[in-house]
Amino acid sequence: QSALTQPRSVSGSPGQSVTISCTGTSSDVGGYYYVSWYQHHPGKAPKLMIYGVSERPSGVPDRFSGSKSGNTASLTISGLQAEDEADYYCCSFPGTYVVFGGGTKLTVL
Amino acid sequence: EVQLLESGGGLVQPGGSLRLSCAASGFTFGSYAVNWVRQAPGKGLEWVSAISGGSGDTTLYADSVKGRFTISRDNSKNTLYLQMNSLRAEDTAVYYCARWIEYYDYWGQGTLVTVSS
């Protein structure tokens, strides 16, 4: 049940694109399609942004996209906006436990 | 509207016990698996426990809480529980309940548990 590996922080200017990586193993991220991403503003409930590696829930802007290659999943945010500044977590479900990434703080410069 | 509302948090001494509740509304509670997820101060999200829908006959626990925490549900009351025993300082966190359908589509606002003497 080791945490997935995410960069501690990323940053970008409004309008730019950023990508957050999430690295696991063949036993979690690499082996299953149950990869999801959450946005978390301090003091609020986390919000689902991506599920099933690349599916976007209704209401989530299409600026948010997900992908996976091997044992690494990625969240890309294009056209950065000030309100995107938050913590982002990836999540994988290998079947008998759930594992999160350590979280990435996105700063919009 | 789907809502999840946690309660029961507070200050407890090391070695003590606490029971958290999560009241659900706006959906057929018994049809869904639900989980507890926590966030310690300055740390990231950590999965704690999961219980299957229906009778809740399948339960899963993180290694860090196995043997100390017990998850349960009462579908007649639309409520999820987490019984926490032998609490440690490292259990200090905001505890969230969340609906699970191979991902978390709805979350509560969380309840703070502080383990300290």
Side-chain angles (χ1 to χ4, degrees), chain A residues 26-38:
Chain A
S26 58
S27 297
D28 39 60
V29 172
Y32 301 88
Y33 288 100
Y34 304 131
V35 176
S36 51
W37 289 88
Y38 303 88

Side-chain angles (χ1 to χ4, degrees), chain A residues 1 34 36 38 40 43-48 50-52 87 89 91 93 95-102, chain B residues 35 37 39 42-47 50 60-64 66 96 100 102-109:
Chain A
Q1 299 185 5
Y34 304 131
S36 51
Y38 303 88
H40 192 201
K44 299 187 70 176
K47 177 184 177 183
L48 175 68
I50 296 288
Y51 67 94
D87 297 320
Y89 295 88
C91 177
F93 174 52
T96 58
Y97 62 94
V98 177
V99 61
F100 285 94
Chain B
N35 287 208
V37 176
Q39 184 177 35
K43 304 292 187 181
L45 298 176
E46 180 190 16
W47 173 71
L60 303 172
Y61 297 93
D63 289 344
S64 58
K66 200 172 294 183
Y96 298 95
W100 171 259
E102 297 167 357
Y103 49 88
Y104 299 110
D105 61 346
Y106 289 97
W107 297 69
Q109 292 292 324

Side-chain angles (χ1 to χ4, degrees), chain B residues 9-88:
Chain B
L11 175 64
V12 61
Q13 293 188 336
S17 298
L18 208 58
R19 188 176 84 155
L20 305 183
S21 299
C22 172
S25 60
F27 66 103
T28 305
F29 177 71
S31 296
Y32 290 85
V34 276
N35 287 208
W36 289 99
V37 176
R38 68 185 180 183
Q39 184 177 35
K43 304 292 187 181
L45 298 176
E46 180 190 16
W47 173 71
V48 174
S49 184
I51 188 167
S52 58
S55 60
D57 53 354
T58 299
T59 56
L60 303 172
Y61 297 93
D63 289 344
S64 58
V65 306
K66 200 172 294 183
R68 300 188 298 122
F69 290 12
T70 302
I71 191 171
S72 63
R73 64 191 301 158
D74 185 337
N75 293 336
S76 69
K77 295 182 178 179
N78 291 337
T79 301
L80 172 72
Y81 302 101
L82 186 68
Q83 178 66 44
M84 304 186 296
N85 299 331
S86 303
L87 282 162
R88 306 166 180 167

Side-chain angles (χ1 to χ4, degrees), chain A residues 21 27 46 68 79 92 103 105:
Chain A
S21 62
S27 297
K68 190 180 80 166
S92 177
K105 181 175 180 58

